Amino acid sequence: MKIIKLIPSLFLASVVWMMDDAIITAVAAAEQDVAEMEAEVVVEESATQGEEELIEEDVVTSEEGETADDETVSDETGESEAAAEEEVATEAAAATDDGETTSDATEEAATQQQESEAAADAAADKKEKQLPVQAGPLVDLLGPSLLSLEMIDETTAQFKQHLTSDALAGKKVIGLYFSADWCGPCRQFTPELVNFYNRMNNRRGRKGEFEIVWISRCRDVDSYGQYFTQMNWLAMPPEEAMGQRGMALGDKYKVKGIPSLVLLDDLGQVITTDARNKIPQDTAGIGFPWRSPLATVISVILPRSLRLMLGNQLGIIKSKVIDKVKSLLPGRAKAPAMA
């Protein structure tokens, strides 16, 4: 009976013992699961932390790269700006130098021109001061000085200046020869005139009574000098011949073309304005200087001083007559003033 009574207790104890084992096992399994879960959490946290660290490193690296790029771009921009500024400064300096050089060159050229003009004026003043006072109709007509060409050697020549009154002293006939190097007929007539000039001046009893003064129509001084070498007489200075005086002589003697040869007497009175055509017709100069019969008689009978006085008076009378005739011509009268 006692054993039977103990069975429920043993059974209950077995159940309790089995339950304890199950609980223990369950608790142990739960603890193991918890441990595994914690381990997984740790691993995940480590992985997450590693990823975060990698992300941070990437961010830092990217920021450093951007910073470096920014610094590189900034450096390049700075270098470009510096180079541009340097180039601008160089161009400005070059422009300044060019401007200064141009300004200096201009000032130097202006100074040289002023010095040349001053030297030319001084030379002209000195020349005028050196020339003595001269008087006479030929001086008034041709100016204070004339030139000749003096040969230094076979290939070199130089101009020699003469006082007009001295150069023409004792000359009975003075020819004004208008010609130029560029004129074909002039180049043909000049050698013929040289021969005639030499022939007339070598005549017995009349040596040296004929003189020619060349009135140049050349276009420049170099041509003047070259063409003058073909002549053996006097010449008006180039600045006079190619200037106002030469033009006035051409107008005075109505020179329409070249070559032209006008013959004057020792008082500057016209003998003939057509000597250029008379020389080929009278190469021996039998009728030279081809005066009119009345002019020949006057030149022989009247002394020079009287002929000079008569010439001046006749010139005044002639001018008055010409002015009177002009005033009487139709269209010459002054038109009435308009109200």
Side-chain angles (χ1 to χ4, degrees), residues 313-334:
Q313 292 298 323
L314 288 175
I316 294 173
I317 294 172
K318 182 179 178 181
S319 298
K320 289 182 178 180
V321 170
I322 291 174
D323 292 340
K324 184 66 175 177
V325 171
K326 287 182 178 179
S327 65
L328 295 176
L329 291 175
R332 294 285 182 175
K334 292 183 180 179

Side-chain angles (χ1 to χ4, degrees), residues 127 142 145-150 157-162 177-183 190 212-243 246-247:
K127 179 180 176 181
L142 302 175
S145 66
L146 299 172
L147 300 178
S148 65
L149 202 63
E150 185 178 46
Q158 66 179 6
F159 294 128
K160 185 176 181 180
Q161 187 181 47
H162 307 270
Y177 181 42
F178 299 84
S179 68
D181 64 307
W182 48 265
C183 169
T190 296
I212 294 177
V213 178
W214 176 41
I215 314 298
S216 171
R217 288 293 183 263
C218 295
R219 295 189 174 105
D220 54 66
V221 177
D222 291 337
S223 300
Y224 174 98
Q226 292 292 329
Y227 191 38
F228 196 18
T229 60
Q230 302 177 25
M231 309 172 194
N232 58 342
W233 46 69
L234 300 172
M236 184 179 289
E239 65 275 8
E240 294 269 16
M242 294 182 279
M247 297 300 104

Side-chain angles (χ1 to χ4, degrees), residues 63-115:
E63 291 177 352
E64 290 177 353
E66 291 178 356
T67 303
D69 292 340
D70 293 341
E71 292 178 354
T72 303
V73 171
S74 177
D75 293 339
E76 291 177 353
T77 303
E79 291 177 357
S80 299
E81 292 177 353
E85 291 177 357
E86 183 177 357
E87 184 176 356
V88 170
T90 303
E91 291 177 354
T96 302
D97 294 338
D98 291 341
E100 292 178 354
T101 303
T102 304
S103 178
D104 294 341
T106 304
E107 291 178 358
E108 184 177 357
T111 302
Q112 290 178 353
Q113 184 177 359
Q114 291 176 357
E115 291 177 354

Side-chain angles (χ1 to χ4, degrees), residues 258-277:
I258 56 175
S260 179
L261 181 63
V262 178
L263 298 184
L264 309 177
D265 63 13
D266 55 345
L267 298 177
Q269 300 298 318
V270 176
I271 298 173
T272 180
T273 59
D274 194 31
R276 184 261 180 272
N277 293 319

Side-chain angles (χ1 to χ4, degrees), residues 189-204:
F189 180 66
T190 296
E192 185 178 352
L193 182 58
V194 169
N195 293 332
F196 185 84
Y197 172 81
N198 293 335
R199 190 181 303 117
M200 294 301 99
N201 280 325
N202 288 328
R203 290 185 300 175
R204 183 178 299 178

